[in-house]
Amino acid sequence: MTRILLVGPLSEGTDGGSLPPYLDVLTAALRRVGAHVERIGSTGIPYDRDLDAIWSPSRLLLAAGTLADRIDALVATQPIDVIALHFGNLEIEQLLPVLWARRNQSASWPAVVIHVHTLMPTLFADHHPDPSMQRAVHAAPAAADGLVYFGDYARQAFASMVPADMPITVAPLPTTIPPGTLPAQEGAVADAVTNLSAYPGPLATLYGYAAPWKAPRLLIEALSRIRRPLRVLLAGPLWDQPDLAGVRLPRPGHASVVGVSRLQIAPTYLAPADRSLLVASSTLAVFPYVAHRAFQGSGAIADYLAHAVPVVATDVANMASLVSSAGDIVAPEDPDRLAAALNRYTNSEHLTRRASAAADRANTFHPDTHAAACLALYARAAARRRSKARRWT
């Protein structure tokens, strides 16, 4: 039995970022396929609400050092084969490889496998610019014992910096809706779905945090061009913050008129039951994204494709390879082509074809499929680490 210490943000509270739902699903799936998994990690985005700012560099390093100490204690007292490390743009876990390098870990240290959630963490690139620290953080994947990519886009981006003999795998992110999750019956998302049901047209949805690579302005421009009505719901934290959303969106609870369509937001964190309701209610998903140096692919797409909901997305990062025949891919920053693609989903024949293709690919995004690929990679990384240890001793 492979013994895994899964290091990444925990699900304490409801605003801990987009990684905890994935890590919860991954943990359960790894256990189902036969692994022993322990969890440890941070408990939220390092953001001070009183100061309305990311933590100071000293606070970030102190918190990461405390987490590193706790991991050291576990490694010293428990048999662990692999540390599976997860961090996105903001999580303090991105500092752990830097601290481990400074501590000169012994040859008996477990294999470290990094799941590549971001191409360029932003803590020390944007929020607290520090070129030296950013270089150290960015170099972490090259020093790992294995890498899990979520698409070929990230694999190709890191190809020149990763040793040729490093074990890697490409495993698309799975759905983060646990099997058997019932749709929510109340809450902001349920209210928005109910409100939009009063209007005509297919329901197109997108969920997740507002982020620089998400372009609601592009979606609004496309909606102003379509010929037949759609209902559109953007759900997730921060869509009501114009400086983060990139545009002023309708006030929550109100379905604004855009051309012949209706647009509403539900700026709230989506628990599994909320995501289940959103996906079950959706005719299609829409992902109007733009290129960004940190963005390597969407995880939310998996929730739709795993449940046979077709996707319209812009051709950014790994979107085209994820969607494949289960939707339509259009050029980024082209509202006319996005409008044309959305128009096609008011045609029942086109919708049926794309939904059928999504159903055929649904198993690709099942948590157990993803976990099996990760577990096989962990075994290869642990073997590589043991081989190195023998050479060192």
Side-chain angles (χ1 to χ4, degrees):
M1 176 182 289
T2 304
R3 297 157 299 188
I4 302 163
L5 180 61
L6 197 155
V7 180
L10 304 173
S11 297
E12 299 180 14
T14 58
D15 60 351
S18 60
L19 266 64
Y22 161 66
L23 299 182
D24 292 345
V25 165
L26 176 60
T27 298
L30 285 169
R31 288 169 177 164
R32 282 197 301 271
V33 298
H36 176 83
V37 185
E38 298 290 339
R39 291 280 301 274
I40 191 172
S42 58
T43 55
I45 298 298
Y47 183 81
D48 191 317
R49 294 189 179 279
D50 293 332
L51 298 177
D52 193 25
I54 294 293
W55 292 354
S56 67
S58 60
R59 185 177 178 185
L60 290 168
L61 286 165
L62 178 62
T66 300
L67 179 57
D69 290 342
R70 294 170 59 205
I71 293 169
D72 285 347
L74 286 173
V75 170
T77 57
Q78 297 185 21
I80 296 170
D81 300 309
V82 174
I83 295 174
L85 178 60
H86 301 259
F87 56 84
N89 287 316
L90 298 176
E91 286 78 10
I92 63 169
E93 282 82 354
Q94 66 188 261
L95 292 169
L96 291 174
V98 179
L99 298 178
W100 290 336
R102 293 175 180 175
R103 296 182 181 191
N104 296 316
Q105 306 295 2
S106 70
S108 61
W109 187 256
V112 175
V113 172
I114 296 178
H115 289 234
V116 181
H117 292 272
T118 177
L119 300 182
M120 181 68 72
T122 58
L123 274 181
F124 294 97
D126 297 340
H127 302 282
H128 297 296
D130 182 330
S132 177
M133 181 62 77
Q134 180 60 22
R135 283 193 298 271
V137 169
H138 187 59
D145 297 293
L147 297 175
V148 175
Y149 297 113
F150 302 125
D152 281 327
Y153 182 83
R155 179 185 62 79
Q156 293 166 4
F158 277 13
S160 63
M161 64 179 284
V162 172
D165 67 338
M166 179 180 290
I168 66 169
T169 193
V170 177
L173 282 163
T175 176
T176 59
I177 302 172
T181 301
L182 297 176
Q185 299 297 310
E186 57 184 22
V189 176
D191 291 345
V193 169
T194 298
N195 187 52
L196 283 168
S197 68
Y199 303 102
L203 178 62
T205 68
L206 166 67
Y207 87 84
Y209 284 71
W213 48 87
K214 300 174 185 177
R217 184 185 299 277
L218 173 64
L219 176 60
I220 291 171
E221 292 176 3
L223 290 177
S224 70
R225 290 162 164 80
I226 67 172
R227 300 183 301 274
R228 291 182 289 272
L230 285 178
R231 297 168 293 140
V232 180
L233 174 58
L234 303 183
L238 308 177
W239 288 115
D240 56 345
Q241 303 294 319
D243 55 330
L244 297 174
V247 65
R248 186 172 297 280
L249 294 166
R251 69 181 186 275
H254 174 69
S256 179
V257 176
V258 182
V260 296
S261 299
R262 295 278 178 164
L263 171 65
Q264 184 163 342
I265 66 170
T268 184
Y269 181 84
L270 275 71
D274 297 310
R275 298 195 295 277
S276 177
L277 171 65
L278 191 70
V279 169
S281 304
S282 300
T283 310
L284 69 151
V286 57
F287 287 77
Y289 283 25
V290 294
H292 188 277
R293 71 179 188 277
F295 179 67
Q296 57 97 12
S298 171
I301 277 183
D303 282 342
Y304 293 99
L305 294 177
H307 295 86
V309 177
V311 172
V312 173
T314 48
D315 192 3
V316 173
N318 69 342
M319 300 293 231
S321 61
L322 286 176
V323 175
S324 186
S325 61
D328 291 81
I329 298 296
V330 301
E333 303 187 62
D334 190 332
D336 289 320
R337 293 193 178 187
L338 181 57
L342 292 172
N343 261 322
R344 286 194 283 272
Y345 284 83
T346 60
N347 179 303
S348 60
E349 184 178 343
H350 182 83
L351 173 61
T352 299
R353 286 199 305 270
R354 292 296 191 253
S356 176
D360 289 343
R361 300 188 67 242
N363 191 60
T364 301
F365 305 97
H366 192 284
D368 290 358
T369 304
H370 181 78
C374 294
L375 192 58
L377 186 278
Y378 296 162
R380 291 166 53 206
R384 182 177 186 259
R385 180 75 184 188
R386 289 192 297 270
S387 176
K388 281 186 174 182
R390 286 193 294 270
R391 292 199 299 271
W392 293 337
T393 58

